[in-house]
Amino acid sequence: MAVVVVSGGTNGMGRAFALERAARGDRVVVLGRNRERGEAMADASVTFLPVDLSSVAETRQVVEHLVTAYPVVDALALFANAVAPRRVVTADGLERTFALYYLSRHLLSFGLRPALDRAATPVIVNVAGVGVTKGGVRWSDPQLVSGYSAVTAQLQAGRANDLLGVGFARRSGSRARYVLYHPGFTRSGDRSTLPLVVRGLLAAASVMARPVAEAVAPIHRFLDAPPTAPLTAVDRNRQLPLSFPTLDPRDADRLMDLTEELTAHRL
Ligand SMILES: NC(=O)c1ccc[n+]([C@@H]2O[C@H](COP(=O)([O-])OP(=O)(O)OC[C@H]3O[C@@H](n4cnc5c(N)ncnc54)[C@H](OP(=O)(O)O)[C@@H]3O)[C@@H](O)[C@H]2O)c1
């Protein structure tokens, strides 16, 4: 029975993915913030761990718990994200989108490495926006102190996740295969914090969006038959070459250094 950890497994694509893994016989550990939704999912095959993944301390605590409670983890699937229309600073002094959408994934990927390395064919799937070439990491101001917008923050953290895949493959020394996956516009996503007009536009556009089951189908395939390459990048149905401009190894090294510096001060 495979052990599958799902961050952001209480809603949207993560929830659908987690429930389907449990239905297929896996032992699933769901990380999320909403207790009501999480507890409603818990049963013999699903364990819910409530955690605010925008907090470095809470994310570290959950990593510690996971590596103790689950000595072997076969797969880690990363979905947690939330759009912040206004800049929010976490208790750690970090811009929240950076902390939640990128940094929690960094801490989980590197932190679960010992448990992943005990599995037969370990795999990490980071569900973000690989293939998007707009935006990027604002090296001079990664906490977006000036000129914040929700889109800038999403594009920055999305790119940081692309570079996390590259950085993990270069630096972790892990046997875990890293898969960057962009699901495309999907009928999911918490829109409750968005302005009414934007919500209306998204609701109208959602007829064009992919059904959740279709968007998560490739993720099941990544678990059932993990790729042999240390890093794979898939934008919807298209496999991207690792020479793709957003997967620059120098940028990845730079981000890994920056992240180590940032987290070293946040015990
Ligand atoms: N939907 C799209 O069209 C689309 C397109 C491209 C890429 N993506 C990417 O796909 C991934 C999944 O998207 P989705 O549409 O499935 O999102 P979603 O429905 O909004 O679900 C997001 C998940 O993140 C969790 N989360 C949010 N804030 C959290 C926090 N502070 N601590 C812990 N968990 C937190 C939520 O948990 P709670 O409910 O418990 O708060 C929920 O389980 C995201 O990375 C997104 O960027 C989505």
Side-chain angles (χ1 to χ4, degrees):
M1 188 171 52
V3 173
V4 179
V5 176
V6 185
S7 100
T10 46
N11 210 358
M13 284 181 255
R15 180 176 191 276
F17 175 76
L19 292 175
E20 175 64 23
R21 288 319 302 181
R24 292 179 186 205
D26 290 343
R27 181 95 202 78
V28 182
V29 185
V30 165
L31 314 181
R33 193 182 35 173
N34 187 306
R35 279 177 185 265
E36 209 178 315
R37 269 201 293 265
E39 277 158 15
M41 292 172 73
D43 65 12
S45 352
V46 179
T47 300
F48 168 59
L49 298 177
V51 53
D52 179 355
L53 292 165
S54 69
S55 155
V56 172
E58 284 196 33
T59 305
R60 281 191 170 143
Q61 269 167 22
V62 94
V63 165
E64 213 168 292
H65 171 81
L66 286 167
V67 292
T68 312
Y70 304 92
V72 181
V73 170
D74 296 275
L76 168 65
L78 300 159
F79 294 88
N81 187 12
V83 177
R86 270 181 291 278
R87 183 173 182 269
V88 177
V89 179
T90 67
D92 302 299
L94 299 170
E95 187 279 311
R96 195 182 67 187
T97 308
F98 181 91
L100 169 64
Y101 185 15
Y102 162 64
L103 190 56
S104 75
R105 297 182 184 208
H106 179 102
L107 294 170
L108 284 162
S109 299
F110 281 90
L112 293 189
R113 193 208 133 167
L116 286 159
D117 278 344
R118 289 187 201 104
T121 53
V123 62
I124 301 174
V125 184
N126 187 330
V127 183
V130 74
V132 172
T133 52
K134 275 199 195 121
V137 177
R138 200 189 286 167
W139 299 108
S140 61
D141 178 21
Q143 300 313 314
L144 305 179
V145 175
S146 67
Y148 178 88
S149 82
V151 172
T152 306
Q154 283 292 319
L155 291 174
Q156 164 167 268
R159 180 67 52 77
N161 278 311
D162 297 350
L163 297 174
L164 168 59
V166 179
F168 186 89
R170 283 167 74 73
R171 287 200 177 180
S172 70
S174 172
R175 292 173 43 247
R177 304 314 191 197
Y178 212 101
V179 181
L180 296 166
Y181 172 61
H182 181 184
F185 184 37
T186 302
R187 268 175 232 151
S188 59
D190 177 12
R191 297 172 188 156
S192 60
T193 61
L194 300 178
L196 215 57
V197 180
V198 179
R199 269 193 263 171
L201 289 171
L202 283 170
S206 72
V207 286
M208 316 282 290
R210 288 175 100 181
V212 169
E214 184 186 311
V216 301
I219 311 175
H220 291 296
R221 294 198 285 273
F222 299 138
L223 264 68
D224 296 340
T228 49
L231 176 66
T232 304
V234 176
D235 178 0
R236 282 149 281 193
N237 299 315
R238 185 167 74 107
Q239 182 157 346
L240 300 173
L242 298 184
S243 58
F244 201 72
T246 55
L247 303 174
D248 187 329
R250 280 157 309 182
D251 286 345
D253 282 342
R254 194 173 177 185
L255 183 68
M256 296 305 102
D257 290 344
L258 172 75
T259 307
E260 278 163 28
E261 231 172 83
L262 281 175
T263 50
H265 303 299
R266 288 169 178 84
L267 302 170

